[in-house]
Amino acid sequence: KKTFLVALPLIPHYLGGELLSSMDKIMIDALVGKQEAGIYALAAILSAIGILLWRALTVMFNPFVNAKLGSREFKTIRETVKPLMLVVGVMCVIAALAAPEIIRVLATEEYLAGVAVVPPVAAGVFIHAMYDTFAAVSFFHKKSTRIMTATLTAAAVNLVGNFICINAFGYIAAGYVTLISNLVLTAMHYRNARRIEPEEVYDPRFSLLAVTLVTAGCLLCNLIYPFIALRYAIVAALLVFLWTQRKSVIDMLMNMKV
């Protein structure tokens, strides 16, 4: 009975998560057209480079967080999450910077119309990864009702926002609605984590700074897309930065062994 009561709210949570990840494409198809939905879908796939890396890392991250939450080693969690999120954030910005060239390789020129979608969706991907870290606290303490409430609220924001903004501004607006929906989801899970654990599990200043910088970095890409040399220089600088941080990343991966 106890297991059933914990699991039951997770059904609408996972259904809401599916809506949150696919509602933009469904509504563009319904409100604008299939061609625009296809363009948007390709742009959204490019933005998901960061989340692919994150999903691979969560295989190690989730057991690590559960073990450290159980032993209340919050400082270890905080210091391990920082380089992890740093790598994911940089990959999201690189995906946004390189979007025009990747689209040219994967598709025809007409798909370049959707390049403006990549920056907000890429930022949303990073924020969604941040949500996973906060949600781990709720999952560990089996607060499934709070998990469900946050997901359904974000899905409702996504649904209403897409209906209003796609009709008013076109399909590009769906990327910004996705970004806002992920911000709502992450903020609600951070609040849940603070209510469940009186002590800070994560560093709020780092989280806020990371979200601000990655979001700003991604959104600024729309302004510098015409300047190819500048974009390549920034990508090269970010890759060099990742290389200089490789020891921290390796240490982080070693720390996640449980």
Side-chain angles (χ1 to χ4, degrees), residues 191-208:
R191 186 184 65 176
N192 287 342
R194 292 294 290 122
R195 287 180 173 179
I196 294 166
E197 285 287 359
E199 184 182 344
E200 287 278 10
V201 178
Y202 300 99
D203 184 343
R205 287 174 294 183
F206 169 80
S207 300
L208 181 61

Side-chain angles (χ1 to χ4, degrees), residues 7 18 20 36 43 48 54 64 71 77-78 82 90 100 107 128-129 135 142 153 172 190 193 211 217 219 228:
E18 289 299 316
L20 192 57
E36 289 79 5
W54 173 247
F64 162 78
S71 57
I77 296 175
R78 285 194 293 270
K82 288 178 182 179
V90 169
H128 192 84
K142 299 180 174 62
T153 300
I172 299 295
Y190 174 74
V211 167
L219 296 184
I228 298 176

Side-chain angles (χ1 to χ4, degrees), residues 44-235:
I45 289 171
L46 297 183
S47 308
I49 292 175
I51 208 67
L52 291 175
L53 174 64
W54 173 247
R55 293 301 178 207
L57 290 172
T58 53
V59 175
M60 297 175 64
F61 176 76
N62 289 335
F64 162 78
V65 170
N66 286 333
K68 298 306 178 184
L69 284 172
S71 57
R72 303 191 66 78
E73 297 178 55
F74 298 156
K75 183 178 179 181
T76 303
I77 296 175
R78 285 194 293 270
E79 297 308 311
T80 303
V81 162
K82 288 178 182 179
L84 182 71
M85 299 310 300
L86 183 69
V87 172
V88 176
V90 169
M91 292 305 297
C92 288
V93 175
I94 288 175
L97 285 167
E101 286 69 37
I102 299 174
I103 289 176
R104 285 190 178 97
V105 170
L106 297 179
T108 57
E109 286 290 321
E110 62 183 354
Y111 281 86
L112 279 173
V115 73
V117 172
V118 176
V121 176
V125 164
F126 175 76
I127 293 166
H128 192 84
M130 188 73 75
Y131 135 77
D132 274 341
T133 65
F134 298 146
V137 178
S138 298
F139 276 103
F140 177 79
H141 289 280
K142 299 180 174 62
K143 302 296 184 182
S144 53
T145 301
R146 292 185 180 186
I147 295 169
M148 174 192 70
T149 301
T151 303
L152 293 182
T153 300
V157 170
N158 190 270
L159 176 63
V160 175
N162 273 320
F163 182 78
I164 295 172
C165 295
I166 291 173
N167 279 315
F169 305 108
Y171 73 94
I172 299 295
Y176 292 90
V177 173
T178 297
L179 172 60
I180 293 169
S181 302
N182 281 317
L183 278 170
V184 170
L185 181 69
T186 303
M188 291 186 70
H189 275 286
Y190 174 74
R191 186 184 65 176
N192 287 342
R194 292 294 290 122
R195 287 180 173 179
I196 294 166
E197 285 287 359
E199 184 182 344
E200 287 278 10
V201 178
Y202 300 99
D203 184 343
R205 287 174 294 183
F206 169 80
S207 300
L208 181 61
L209 182 63
V211 167
T212 301
L213 290 178
V214 173
T215 301
C218 288
L219 296 184
L220 284 173
C221 291
N222 271 325
L223 299 178
I224 63 173
Y225 277 143
F227 308 104
I228 298 176
L230 176 60
R231 287 192 291 110
Y232 285 0
I234 296 173
V235 169

